[in-house]
Amino acid sequence: MRGSDDDEELRKAIALSLAEHETDSNGCTGDGSQASQVPTKAIDIIDLLSDEESHMPQKKIPTETPYRLASEQFTLLGLNRKEMEEQRLARKRKASISPPPSRKGPKSTKLVAELAKSSLSINATVSAPNPLQFPRGTVKKTWAFSHPRDQDIKIEEVLQRADLTLAVFSSFQWDVEWLLGKINASSTRMVFIMQAKEDATKRQYERDTASTQNLRLCFPDMAGQINCMHSKLMLLAHPSYLRVVVPTANLVPYDWGEGGVMENMVFLIDLPRLAAKQNLPENLTLFATELIHFIRAMGLQEDVIRSVCNFDFSATKGLAFVHTIGGAHSGDADSWRHTGYCGLGRAVKELGLGSDGPLEVDFVTSSIGALNIDFITMMYLAAKGDDGLMEFEWRTCKQAKTKDSNAAGQQDQLLKKQTVTSIEQGFRIYFPAHDTVVKSKGGASCGGTICFQAKWYSAATFPRHLLRDCKSQRKGMLMHNKVLFVRPKEPSSPEAASGTGGWAYVGSANCSESAWGKLIKDKTSKTPKLNCRNWECGVLLPLAHLQAPGSIAGYAKDASGLDIFEGLVPVPMHYPGEEYGSRRPWFYTDH
């Protein structure tokens, strides 16, 4: 598999997604798509795939419209676009919802410092609710403009700005002005975890934000093979509790429903502050252990990590924080077993969710890489609780030609064949067809962050038969979700009867090798090495944990299919999804 292809094409897709169109009085672009619902003033949007910056002139939007098209594309530093974007615009002019690649340019305008000061004049619109609103954790859809409220949440309801003291944000794409307008910058200490590949870019970002006292930056390692800091995470500290938030959304208004065209999902849990002089227990939950491991690996400042440790994580027992740490992981098995798809399999096993029987797996994704059956097998076995070694050994081990080894080899081949059969019968990947995007509320111009490439789909090794059309339960909405629904294939299985076999993943990782990694054999040590090109994070939620305390174990009576998740984890798409038939998927080049 060409592991870097999906990242390179994502770069191209985002580059293609910048342009201008006039908006009509309903806040729609010239081709009928809706722009983001944000104030009609300069907007600061950061795309951290590139270290270059460029500029486009801003169109004036009528003040009466509740939306604005982000046509003046500033970066964090307020710098200008260059000739690459001008050439692209001459070639193709379409409206878009995606931010531009950042580029080197003139000296900073200190825009962030000004935005932080201007946010002081904005009155809080959301008062602090009763503490521990979500003490056991919950998953919600993002709110969507013009759609009824149902199992959803607004960004303001997530942040609870009135008494927010510390906010750590990790995102792939940023709209800084919009974000600063959602919090009280004078009373909230902020840390932005951002992508910057080159040291020069890091230093420029630091210089640009130096005058903003409450803002610090954190730059995860982007050396070598690491291409993308894609994780989405919020750590929101209040006087009496910490809210841990893992969304599928970036920090841009359209991902949070303000344009009414794109939807995401959000995991939230509220953890109470430890009593004075009380320390975290030595035996942390799996969730707490991996969360702290992840933010430390990202390079988050130690004083911030210590602050996070002032809260009680005991309610996360039964949950797992699942991550992908960019780079190569080899040597000690604990290194590669804790992250990527190996870490997913380990978490499944440690939470008692492993299964020997066949599974039903539904993977909702907004981006697809150059897939093949090896990758699907890796993910399927991880969903069963395998740490990656089974598929790795099938792929790399050469059996000595002895009678015993031949028997073992035949057994492996039989098991591999059975696994492939189970995948063909029970593994579905939800990604929108071309006409689904074109006919959506925002139209084709809003498909810029839904990424796939025709040459991958046409490859002989691509598992086309696993794809299903992804249509939202909310009519006309597109999805930026990354969700895994896993359950035993047999409703009468012991796992189903006990309720231990079903779980969901919600996070930033799409259906690609770059997002989950690949275990290979180290050429020097001949031991397993996990290569990961992205930074990602998510949460694994067993159905048993989300059931009300004292309730009867097992699935709801007469529940089948994804109905077993009803009321626990919202199922965002129509199920079962339609096979493509003669149709084709949405390709980013259609945008």
Side-chain angles (χ1 to χ4, degrees), residues 551-583:
S551 62
I552 299 175
Y555 304 151
K557 186 178 181 181
D558 299 328
S560 60
L562 294 185
D563 291 344
I564 64 173
F565 293 93
E566 184 65 31
L568 303 172
V569 179
V571 177
M573 74 290 188
H574 285 289
Y575 169 84
E578 298 177 32
E579 296 186 21
Y580 279 19
S582 60
R583 298 178 298 164

Side-chain angles (χ1 to χ4, degrees), residues 138-158:
T138 189
V139 177
K140 292 184 176 292
K141 299 179 183 180
T142 52
W143 167 80
F145 177 76
S146 80
H147 286 267
R149 300 296 304 269
D150 181 27
Q151 300 183 78
D152 66 0
I153 193 165
K154 292 185 176 184
I155 183 70
E156 294 87 352
E157 296 165 346
V158 171

Side-chain angles (χ1 to χ4, degrees), residues 38-112:
V38 294
T40 57
K41 56 181 180 179
I43 187 167
D44 182 55
I45 296 183
I46 307 164
D47 176 329
L48 299 167
L49 280 175
S50 172
D51 295 322
E52 299 180 339
E53 295 171 346
S54 51
H55 171 75
M56 293 172 59
Q58 179 180 356
K59 288 186 179 293
K60 292 183 179 180
I61 308 300
T63 56
E64 63 269 21
T65 176
Y67 309 96
R68 78 174 300 271
L69 184 65
S71 55
E72 180 173 16
Q73 305 286 1
F74 292 95
T75 67
L76 175 64
L77 309 180
L79 307 179
N80 295 332
R81 299 188 60 87
K82 291 183 179 178
E83 65 272 10
M84 183 182 75
E85 182 59 23
E86 295 172 352
Q87 293 171 358
R88 193 204 65 74
L89 285 173
R91 178 166 38 89
K92 184 175 183 179
R93 304 182 63 86
K94 285 188 177 181
S96 170
I97 59 172
S98 293
S102 54
R103 295 188 147 189
K104 294 180 181 179
K107 293 182 179 180
S108 165
T109 61
K110 304 299 181 184
L111 179 60
V112 171

